[in-house]
Amino acid sequence: MLFPVLLVLGVIGLLTTLGGIYLRIGKSRSVERLRERAAAECKWRLECVAPSLDGKVDGPTMRTAQGTIELIPSGAPSSWVIDMTTFDTEVAFTHVLNVVAHRDTDRAGRSKLVRPVDLEDPKVASGYRVFSSDADFARAVVTAELIQATRALDAAVRARTFLRTGGGRATVVALRGLSDAAELKAFHDGSAALVGLLKMSEGPTPAP
């Protein structure tokens, strides 16, 4: 009587193992389909705006003479909703800087390289927090004009945006996955103008 019982238990164990394997395979295939669908959607959105910016699309990114736009499903692989858009370009300085609205302070990240910077202009300080590796640099570049351009960009793309720099790169992040060609162009042009202001304020001497 013992052998049939052991046989049944062995079969049950084998079926359970096989079921787990097939479940993992099915889940993996489902995630891959969602990833491919999101990538195709990103590419289609960017191809709609590429001609007006003379841009070159490669998957979820588009390169132009001014920088690179990328559409991102930030919650992947748990969620493949495209909910973030970034503009990235090269700058001459290497200072770490984060300029965020008060409500988005948690997006400044946790780093030993940066500290909160107290700004002298109350119009700037009232709406934004600034974190930087160099307080003097931050005060020089985070001007009322820069904040005004940031607010104009927010309005143009109907999303909150924030600016970060580090390692010779400047990135503008929109907290929305832009889909309309006009909004994508506005984001590209507004971000390029924002970084342009940053470069002008920083001056000709790059950080060591």
Side-chain angles (χ1 to χ4, degrees):
M1 294 295 293
L2 182 60
F3 178 73
V5 173
L6 292 176
L7 180 61
V8 170
L9 291 175
V11 171
I12 293 173
L14 178 61
L15 291 175
T16 301
T17 301
L18 290 174
I21 292 173
Y22 282 116
L23 182 63
R24 287 193 295 272
I25 291 174
K27 184 177 181 180
S28 176
R29 288 176 177 173
S30 178
V31 168
E32 182 61 20
R33 284 195 298 269
L34 291 173
R35 186 195 68 77
E36 291 176 351
R37 188 179 302 170
E41 174 65 19
C42 290
K43 184 178 180 181
W44 178 80
R45 294 184 188 184
L46 293 173
E47 286 177 339
C48 290
V49 72
S52 64
L53 294 170
D54 195 23
K56 182 178 181 182
V57 177
D58 182 12
T61 65
M62 177 182 66
R63 297 182 184 278
T64 72
Q66 288 73 37
T68 301
I69 281 185
E70 183 174 7
L71 293 168
I72 302 170
S74 65
S78 298
S79 170
W80 290 94
V81 174
I82 303 164
D83 59 355
M84 184 178 291
T85 310
T86 65
F87 173 89
D88 181 80
T89 191
E90 187 176 6
V91 291
F93 51 85
T94 58
H95 300 290
V96 178
L97 174 72
N98 292 299
V99 183
V100 298
H102 282 293
R103 65 188 297 184
D104 296 317
T105 299
D106 60 326
R107 295 182 181 274
R110 298 289 183 267
S111 172
K112 295 180 179 179
L113 296 176
V114 300
R115 295 289 185 273
V117 178
D118 294 326
L119 300 175
E120 298 176 357
D121 189 336
K123 292 182 180 179
V124 176
S126 64
Y128 290 81
R129 293 293 307 278
V130 176
F131 301 82
S132 181
S133 58
D134 187 316
D136 291 336
F137 165 79
R139 293 189 183 99
V141 301
V142 183
T143 62
E145 188 178 8
L146 184 81
I147 296 303
Q148 184 179 3
T150 301
R151 287 173 172 153
L153 180 60
D154 289 357
V157 300
R158 295 181 297 129
R160 302 196 310 278
T161 64
F162 63 90
L163 171 69
R164 63 187 181 210
T165 73
R169 311 293 303 180
T171 305
V172 182
V173 180
L175 300 177
R176 189 163 76 87
L178 305 179
S179 58
D180 181 75
E183 287 184 335
L184 281 165
K185 187 177 187 304
F187 177 67
H188 172 275
D189 294 347
S191 297
L194 197 63
V195 175
L197 287 173
L198 197 67
K199 292 177 179 178
M200 288 173 59
S201 301
E202 192 270 342
T205 305

